[in-house]
Amino acid sequence: MLVVVCIKQVPDTTQVQIDPVTNTLVREGIPFIVNPYDAHALEEALRLKDQFGFRVAALSMGPPNAEATLKKALALGVDEAILLSDRVFGGADTLATSRVLSEAIAKLNQREQVGIVICGKQTIDGDTAQVGPGIATRLGYTQLTLVDHIEKLDPFQERITVRRKLEGRHEIVEAPLPVLLTVVREVNRPRYPTVPMRLESEEAVVQIWSNQELQLDQNGIGLKGSPTWVSRIFSPQREKGEIVGDGAVDPAGAAHLLVDRLLSRDLLVV
């Protein structure tokens, strides 16, 4: 069985700046990292490999420099890495992105049975959480989101049981394979590559698939196939804070002043 893990190269959001003139991200000089949620997806795929002996393929869509992200996956132990890179893929929204990724997974499935696809819950540069479900829908796979633990996997019966982290509670779900999982941070603690594997990955080959391999209609991918787009990115303006009263000397008086101020702005209902 083949386990496919989808990973994405994203800008380090702790260092992202916005051009005040164009209202776009300043990418020059900004380091790129593996999307943190995808690092947990990668670790979970590798744990399945350790436990069951599955093969693991890492899949990413992005520009040529995203090869570095896949090299990191190879250093951690994936068996093959594939970069989907073509100018016609550029400018894709979540709909067009899921179309390309699902087609690549279907192509992998033609040569080896894909039983499990694992994605991070979302990416930190988009935060939509739509690509994983989009892939599952296109492939007709069972979709299990927000997974924080794989309770049981039976490869012979082709059944999986997972725990989903919901708001204020957990949910145990059993489903048939093939399945797509999106995982949250609590699912595991990612491993670090060993020095020998890191050195070996430098010589490893990352496969590059363009649209020549996928043969997708260009009107349905990239910018042409994206019905949504970002019209503007901006940092919200924040008003300066103020100190109300003297809480150290007169805490009761300060509390009354705060309540009065909140009431005057309709921020408090009594």
Side-chain angles (χ1 to χ4, degrees):
M1 182 185 296
L2 181 66
V3 177
V4 177
V5 56
C6 298
I7 61 178
K8 184 182 181 183
Q9 175 181 269
V10 296
D12 187 344
T13 54
T14 62
Q15 302 187 42
V16 164
Q17 297 180 347
I18 298 173
D19 189 313
V21 177
T22 63
N23 290 311
T24 59
L25 293 177
V26 177
R27 296 183 179 272
E28 291 76 15
I30 301 298
F32 286 89
I33 60 173
V34 178
N35 179 53
Y37 287 104
D38 296 346
H40 292 279
L42 178 58
E43 171 63 26
E44 200 63 19
L46 292 172
R47 291 189 180 194
L48 292 177
K49 175 183 177 179
D50 294 341
Q51 184 176 356
F52 296 99
F54 299 151
R55 282 186 5 95
V56 176
L59 188 64
S60 184
M61 188 178 99
N65 64 6
E67 184 176 346
T69 295
L70 289 169
K71 289 275 190 178
K72 294 177 182 178
L74 288 166
L76 289 168
V78 304
D79 298 286
E80 64 177 317
I82 301 166
L83 174 62
L84 308 173
S85 187
D86 195 313
R87 286 187 179 276
V88 298
F89 297 157
D93 66 358
T94 56
L95 183 72
T97 298
S98 65
R99 180 177 288 119
V100 174
L101 289 170
S102 61
E103 186 65 25
I105 294 169
K107 186 177 178 67
L108 287 170
N109 190 60
Q110 290 175 2
R111 73 182 195 203
E112 185 175 359
Q113 180 188 5
V114 175
I116 302 172
V117 179
I118 309 179
C119 303
K121 181 186 75 167
Q122 62 196 56
T123 59
I124 60 174
D125 61 344
D127 286 331
T128 64
Q130 294 174 350
V131 171
I135 294 171
T137 299
R138 292 182 184 280
L139 293 174
Y141 286 9
T142 304
Q143 177 186 153
L144 300 175
T145 58
L146 306 175
V147 173
D148 72 352
H149 187 250
I150 296 179
E151 299 281 335
K152 181 181 178 182
L153 174 62
D154 188 336
F156 301 103
Q157 297 296 322
E158 297 188 340
R159 306 287 298 182
I160 188 170
T161 304
V162 303
R163 185 177 69 189
R164 302 180 64 230
K165 183 185 178 183
L166 306 179
E167 188 172 349
R169 61 191 175 91
H170 285 89
E171 178 181 76
I172 304 297
V173 183
E174 181 182 355
L177 304 182
V179 65
L180 182 139
L181 312 178
T182 70
V183 298
V184 296
R185 294 176 187 267
E186 293 83 357
V187 71
N188 57 45
R189 183 175 181 178
R191 69 189 69 186
Y192 291 97
T194 63
V195 173
M197 292 187 70
R198 181 175 293 180
L199 294 174
E200 186 178 340
S201 70
E202 293 299 320
E203 304 298 326
V205 176
V206 174
Q207 302 175 55
I208 310 294
W209 287 5
S210 67
N211 198 39
Q212 185 175 352
E213 282 77 18
L214 300 183
Q215 294 292 305
L216 288 166
D217 182 357
Q218 294 189 21
N219 291 318
I221 57 177
L223 189 59
K224 291 182 179 179
S226 301
T228 63
W229 64 91
V230 178
S231 61
R232 184 184 175 206
I233 300 176
F234 63 95
S235 296
Q237 297 295 323
R238 295 184 179 180
E239 297 182 1
K240 292 184 178 180
E242 61 176 306
I243 298 176
V244 179
D246 190 337
V249 177
D250 183 15
H256 284 298
L257 287 172
L258 177 60
V259 170
D260 290 340
R261 185 65 55 83
L262 293 174
L263 287 172
S264 67
R265 297 186 180 182
D266 293 326
L267 296 175
L268 185 65
V269 178
V270 295

